[in-house]
Amino acid sequence: AGVISGLLAGGAQAQQRYECLMEPAVEVAISSAVSGIISSITVDRGSRVEKGQKLVKLQATAELAAIKLAKAKLEFGQRKVKRTEELFREKFTSEYSVDEAVTETRLAEVELAQARSILGLKTLKSPISGIVVERLAEVGEFVSDDEILRLAQLDPLYIEVILPLDQLSVVKQGMQATVYPGEPVGGEYKATVE
């Protein structure tokens, strides 16, 4: 909710204020695709956020360990391929052994990519630029598909003004007004009638 002024043209009425309803262009519920315990939330109600900004992190100890393990397997596989190829060139091993070592290394690469992807799911980023309108969880809470934050995109912001019946004919497309949103947005914003 908020207040709008400046819709009426001319005289003292031009500065009259009217109640209005404000609707954001987009509202987004932030939740996690994976279960986990929240380790940090970087924003509060009223915080402005940018698209791509990190908002929430879930504990990721197991995922970090999986990445270390996958890296170790990959490094070992690369060394094994090198040794097996040298032995094959000297005719001490078969082509099958080389193929097996190369395949194991490729599988290790896939495991590493998968571990990194799962770790990426533990960090939640903002899909829009806007404002945090609600914080529904706290650090230390276990979440699965629960909403953690609610965001609203404020550009554009749709305003419905509640006018007296005798003023409806005065408002025309293209007129300017000033909007005074309530908290947590606050401030003063110019608006145009569409």
Side-chain angles (χ1 to χ4, degrees), residues 7 18 27 32-33 37 77 126 136 159 165 174 176-177 179 185:
L7 277 178
Y18 297 97
E27 284 190 67
S32 177
I37 296 173
S126 178
L136 302 161
I159 313 267
L165 190 57
Q176 298 292 308
V179 180
V185 178

Side-chain angles (χ1 to χ4, degrees), residues 77 80-89 93-105:
K80 185 175 180 181
V81 166
K82 188 176 178 181
R83 284 192 308 267
T84 308
E85 286 174 340
E86 286 174 11
L87 291 172
F88 178 72
R89 277 193 299 276
T93 192
S94 67
E95 188 175 338
Y96 174 81
S97 296
V98 173
D99 184 47
E100 185 178 44
V102 168
T103 301
E104 287 174 3
T105 301

Side-chain angles (χ1 to χ4, degrees), residues 67 76 95-96 130 194:
I67 287 175
F76 173 75
E95 188 175 338
Y96 174 81
E194 291 187 356

